[in-house]
Amino acid sequence: MTEHDRDGAGHVSTDSTGASGSGTPKENGEATEAAIPELVIISGMSGAGRSTAAKCLEDLGWFVVDNLPPALIPTMVELGARSQGNVARIAVVVDVRGRRFFDNLRESLADLDAKQVTRRIVFLESSEDALVRRFESVRRPHPLQGDGRIVDGIEAERDLLRELRGDADLVIDTSDLNVHELRSKMDAQFAGDEKPELRATVMSFGYKYGLPVDADLVVDCRFLPNPHWVPELRPFTGLNDEVATYVFNQPGAKEFLDRYTELLQLIATGYRREGKRYVTVAVGCTGGKHRSVAMSEKIGARLASEGVETVVVHRDLGRE
């Protein structure tokens, strides 16, 4: 859920053995330059949809390498830089099947940073219940369960990937997504030539259905009166003008919208400065039907007006 920290692609110098042509750069003592490919590292929980995410990028024209040992990622980037633009975008899937190489990942990431390679990490997350159902449906063991249960393997993997999840630029929770919905999310983040500085997802949700696990920021709208208790508004949702008008006529609603969007603008500036390119803002109320929906629509519109590419999603709308 794309962007570069700099205006264009970074560059690395190569020696004459990596250059093409008549050899003039070597004779003149000039270094040739090759554009560094875009790099996306796909990781996350087994069964959460890594293969689907990788296939989506492959369909978008990315060069995808599955289960590449982390120590070889910098080498892959260097080879891509020497391909004369034939390999401009590389996606690497890193998972626990290569766990004996997994300790090398941190070292490889540091190497990429030292070479000023712009790299992004996509982490696929899912709930324990969803993962157990998926493994049981295909009648396959979890790669880390050993002689234990599936849940033991899930817990071990979650511990192993905890630090990487914290470093991820984009976390996608696939617990309630089908294959087509996951592909849609990947398309929204990586399709097209335009590369906005920051992409935001504003998600309404209901607290009674649980917090979104992929949220970066969570805000609570339950301080506002609930339209559920107004009989003529109960059947409608926050997408209806009558409900939205009721919500924003309540004391503090407009002031909250103004101040929270100001705060988001400040946070967005910091995210850009730190190289974070994706943010998910979760807006909650009791059932995710009225207040959070109306507020999410307004917040999304405000962010879009500030130049942030924004998608508004209503996670729990229609569940009642």
Side-chain angles (χ1 to χ4, degrees):
M1 212 148 138
T2 62
E3 303 80 25
H4 291 280
D5 290 336
R6 295 162 289 280
D7 290 337
H11 291 82
V12 292
S13 296
T14 61
D15 59 27
S16 59
T17 60
S20 62
S22 63
T24 302
K26 179 180 179 181
E27 295 169 0
N28 295 337
E30 298 175 354
T32 60
E33 290 188 340
I36 298 178
E38 296 183 46
L39 174 65
V40 169
I41 298 172
I42 300 174
S43 190
M45 300 297 295
S46 298
R50 292 186 309 248
S51 297
T52 299
K55 178 61 178 175
C56 182
L57 290 184
E58 187 174 37
D59 292 342
L60 291 173
W62 291 67
F63 185 84
V64 178
V65 184
D66 191 12
N67 199 28
L68 181 72
L72 296 181
I73 295 177
T75 302
M76 177 61 65
V77 173
E78 292 176 6
L79 291 173
R82 298 180 181 182
S83 69
Q84 299 179 343
N86 292 323
V87 181
R89 298 182 297 177
I90 298 174
V92 176
V93 181
V94 177
D95 57 51
V96 293
R97 286 180 297 169
R99 55 190 178 277
R100 59 196 174 112
F101 304 103
F102 201 82
D103 292 339
N104 301 125
L105 179 59
R106 185 60 52 194
E107 183 179 343
S108 293
L109 294 179
D111 186 13
L112 294 171
D113 291 340
K115 295 177 180 177
Q116 297 184 323
V117 175
T118 301
R119 46 85 176 173
R120 287 146 296 160
I121 299 173
V122 177
F123 192 95
L124 282 299
E125 175 66 275
S126 195
S127 68
E128 180 177 292
D129 288 345
L131 294 175
V132 169
R133 287 196 304 270
R134 291 168 189 172
F135 276 105
E136 288 182 341
S137 67
V138 296
R139 299 182 180 180
R140 294 181 59 187
H142 188 281
L144 291 185
Q145 76 179 74
D147 295 329
R149 302 176 300 163
I150 292 176
V151 292
D152 297 326
I154 293 172
E155 182 179 357
E157 184 178 38
R158 207 179 292 279
D159 288 340
L160 178 66
L161 297 177
R162 195 176 307 278
E163 184 177 354
L164 182 61
R165 186 192 189 283
D167 290 339
D169 299 282
L170 175 63
V171 177
I172 300 178
D173 178 18
T174 68
S175 302
D176 299 315
L177 300 181
N178 59 36
V179 172
H180 303 294
E181 290 168 333
L182 175 55
R183 290 183 65 92
S184 178
K185 280 183 173 286
M186 292 295 294
D187 284 341
Q189 297 297 342
F190 294 101
D193 296 328
E194 295 297 323
K195 299 180 175 62
E197 288 188 353
L198 181 66
R199 288 179 173 175
T201 298
V202 181
M203 177 191 301
S204 69
F205 73 95
Y207 276 94
K208 69 180 183 180
Y209 300 114
L211 290 169
V213 299
D214 54 345
D216 297 294
L217 303 168
V218 178
V219 64
D220 188 352
C221 288
R222 290 177 294 180
F223 71 93
L224 296 170
N226 192 348
H228 175 81
W229 303 115
V230 180
E232 59 268 27
L233 296 180
R234 183 178 300 174
F236 299 105
T237 75
L239 296 176
N240 295 98
D241 291 339
E242 298 90 340
V243 174
T245 299
Y246 175 86
V247 169
F248 287 101
N249 279 341
Q250 302 305 315
K254 293 179 180 177
E255 182 181 10
F256 170 81
L257 174 63
D258 291 339
R259 294 192 177 184
Y260 190 63
T261 51
E262 288 177 3
L263 177 62
L264 289 178
Q265 291 165 12
L266 176 64
I267 293 173
T269 300
Y271 278 168
R272 293 186 183 102
R273 185 173 57 246
E274 294 301 315
K276 184 175 177 64
R277 295 296 178 248
Y278 312 95
V279 59
T280 298
V281 180
V283 183
C285 63
T286 303
K289 179 179 179 181
H290 296 112
R291 294 164 291 180
S292 63
V293 172
M295 189 65 70
S296 293
E297 289 289 327
K298 291 290 187 181
I299 291 174
R302 291 282 185 92
L303 290 175
S305 70
E306 295 295 328
V308 177
E309 184 171 320
T310 306
V311 176
V312 179
V313 178
H314 304 298
R315 189 192 74 172
D316 299 322
L317 199 59
R319 295 187 67 169
E320 291 188 346

